[in-house]
Amino acid sequence: MACFFRRKIAAKLGRTLQQSEDVFIPALSAVPVFKKQESPDFKLSINTLRSTGVLPSSGGIQQQSEELANRLKQDNVVEDISAGNGVIHFKVNRKLLVEKTLEPFVKEDDYKFGFNSELFKALKKGTTLVEYSSPNIAKKFHAGHLRSTIIGNFIANLKQSLGNNVIRMNYLGDWGMQFGLLGAGFGKFGCQEKLKQNPLQHLFEVYVLVNQEAEHNEDMMQAARDFFRQLEQHESEAVSLWQQFREITVDEYQRVYKRLSVHFDVYSGESFHQHQAQEVVQQLQSRGLLKSSETGAGIVDTSTAGDMSSVCAVQRADGTTLYITRDLAAAMDRKEKYNFDEMIYVTDKSQANHFNQLFHVLRALGHTWADRCEHVPFGLVRGMSTRSGEVVFLEDVLNEARTRMLHNMSQSKTTKEMDDPEDIAEKVGISALIVQDFKGPLYSDYKFDWDRMLQAQGDTGVFLQYTHARLCSLIRRNEGVGAMTFDPSLLLEQTSIVILQHLLRYDEVLYQSSQDLQPKHLVNFLLKLCHLVASAHRELPVKGSSQDVAQARLRLFSGACSVLASGMRILGITPVDKM
């Protein structure tokens, strides 16, 4: 595996430059591969060594590269050393590359491949709280919440894989004036019988009707304000109806989350922090941070110059709290309850200012841990629609993905007979949704495209699943051929070597993902692996080969299959073994 070679090269550099080998690890990286082109395995960045003071920052960088390369000697691990453009390239012994990279798969601790790397030793492990998905109750699951759900799930999976204790939290929008409207509207338009039959659809219909009524009827708006005030004052009838709406919604959402293979440890919500929000206002007041606006609202100065050029409203003129006040209370409550080491919020980029203000006010209240809170913003999805028109609800998207995938599978000549084609179509369709979403930078908007997303060839989730299923099928068909030992000298073809070189990059890709929390690095790594495996299927047949060759090739394909499945699970994709 990569850490064996990285450590050997670092030790060689340490001896030559009389430095600790640890200083060279961050400067060493595996070289990205190209299918038909031979390439070295690792490169050393001279710039990194200059910036860390290992090499002098003066003088020509190319000259430094060449001089250091000439001082380094080949050995039984490194068989070629050459200077490139500001880098030094290392080519390792080919048999050793095969042996060491595939070693974990022989020992059956393949699930650790890429994770027990020295790259992760410097990462602080502890408790990570991830808040994601966070839909509003009493509404059907809107398709707009898909991105927060799958991005948050990826971040939680990644952090957990790297050894963190992860708390997955769904912070429901279950408080605010919209529930005043819904409560008042249910009194006029609601029906308990319809609520039992199709709960969220009926609440949606009530919400539409009450909003239409409130636009031209001040009495309805007043009724909404009265209902919300009753909620805030814990009047039993209002609270009972609100609780019914909340329980119905969580039950419905859990059904959708199950389809996405998403789960939560905690279902929280704004309602949990309504009383604490008033305490936050009192704390701000006692610290002299609370000011009053011209309209009588409570505000906090969030300008860097302290000149009130930027303010954050925390209280309405009538004394009721706002969303950010409840967010402040929630953050403080979570720190006390879970003592997290970091907290990550996953929402769309339009809320960037909200989180800047939230972290600013927390720091102003003396909470230095606010520096360990992070907002991961994402862009919008344009053009998401189904055959029946513009999409509103996530279940419509999941159903459409399954239906289209089922149709594509029935048309494909390579589709195998399977026990539950609908289940396979569902899993593959969801993979397609996730990969389309994760291929680019999260911050960017992107255009939703059904046809491109569901292509079996090309950079899609379908291609990932097809490759995994094909590898599983190959391993199943040759169950008696595998052996604990294999001959590394039988995997020295360029087609095998490029797969192994690519696997060397897995820990670096995971590390990069852990630094910027972007899934694109892992997605693109897995897609490249699938393309390399497709070439190997053609050029390295198992069937018809001698037993020794078949055993070696199966070990290569098993290793690729294991890493592919591992990466897919981190992305939140359930791998299928038949397709």
Side-chain angles (χ1 to χ4, degrees), residues 375-419:
H375 174 221
V376 176
F378 55 82
L380 302 176
V381 184
R382 295 193 306 273
M384 191 185 270
S385 61
T386 61
R387 288 192 174 98
S388 56
E390 278 299 307
V391 85
V392 178
F393 304 125
L394 179 58
E395 278 210 282
D396 296 335
V397 179
L398 301 184
N399 293 342
E400 180 101 3
R402 181 180 60 204
T403 302
R404 286 179 183 249
M405 198 60 233
L406 206 53
H407 172 76
N408 290 2
M409 283 160 55
S410 69
Q411 301 297 304
S412 171
K413 292 173 186 172
T414 60
T415 299
K416 304 284 186 291
E417 202 171 304
M418 51 194 83
D419 299 332

Side-chain angles (χ1 to χ4, degrees), residues 113 133 247 261 399 513:
F113 186 89
S133 195
E247 284 163 16
S261 300
N399 293 342
S513 303

Side-chain angles (χ1 to χ4, degrees), residues 179-376:
F179 297 104
L181 273 168
L182 190 62
F186 196 81
K188 183 167 183 180
F189 305 110
C191 166
Q192 282 290 346
E193 196 53 47
K194 284 183 181 176
L195 192 64
K196 283 175 191 164
Q197 289 167 0
N198 194 345
L200 293 190
Q201 184 59 37
H202 182 51
L203 289 179
F204 177 67
E205 289 162 1
V206 168
Y207 194 67
V208 170
L209 288 169
V210 74
N211 270 286
Q212 288 169 352
E213 176 95 1
E215 274 179 25
H216 55 79
N217 185 342
E218 181 52 36
D219 288 346
M220 180 55 78
M221 272 310 296
Q222 188 54 49
R225 283 191 286 268
D226 291 344
F227 187 90
F228 186 53
R229 196 167 290 113
Q230 287 163 23
L231 265 184
E232 290 220 298
Q233 289 165 2
H234 273 259
E235 291 187 18
S236 60
E237 200 175 318
V239 170
S240 175
L241 188 61
W242 170 84
Q243 279 177 334
Q244 188 184 7
F245 294 163
R246 194 181 195 280
E247 284 163 16
I248 282 168
T249 310
V250 171
D251 286 346
E252 289 286 308
Y253 285 175
Q254 282 179 327
R255 202 169 43 77
V256 179
Y257 289 133
K258 191 175 179 184
R259 291 181 70 177
L260 289 166
S261 300
V262 168
H263 73 277
F264 292 93
D265 302 308
V266 183
Y267 280 88
S268 181
E270 292 177 67
S271 61
F272 287 61
H273 307 290
Q274 40 165 318
H275 294 305
Q276 295 165 339
Q278 292 293 352
E279 291 168 22
V280 170
V281 174
Q282 286 163 17
Q283 284 181 40
L284 289 166
Q285 197 159 23
S286 66
R287 282 178 171 259
L289 296 168
L290 189 68
K291 313 290 181 192
S292 187
S293 72
E294 289 175 4
T295 59
I299 56 174
V300 177
D301 181 9
T302 53
S303 64
T304 48
D307 58 3
M308 300 292 282
S309 56
S310 166
V311 297
C312 169
V314 294
Q315 190 181 40
R316 291 190 186 90
D318 65 1
T320 54
T321 58
L322 294 160
Y323 180 75
I324 194 161
T325 332
R326 295 187 285 276
D327 254 8
L328 288 162
M332 289 186 264
D333 180 63
R334 291 171 194 176
K335 181 62 182 170
E336 191 176 326
K337 195 176 285 180
Y338 303 108
N339 195 25
F340 58 76
D341 296 285
E342 60 177 346
M343 178 159 60
I344 299 165
Y345 297 87
V346 184
T347 74
D348 73 83
K349 60 188 178 184
S350 70
Q351 292 196 46
N353 186 53
H354 168 84
F355 286 103
N356 285 336
Q357 290 189 328
L358 176 69
F359 303 152
H360 183 104
V361 176
L362 284 170
R363 281 191 291 268
L365 283 166
H367 300 300
T368 53
W369 48 262
D371 292 333
R372 301 196 301 280
C373 295
E374 182 178 357
H375 174 221
V376 176

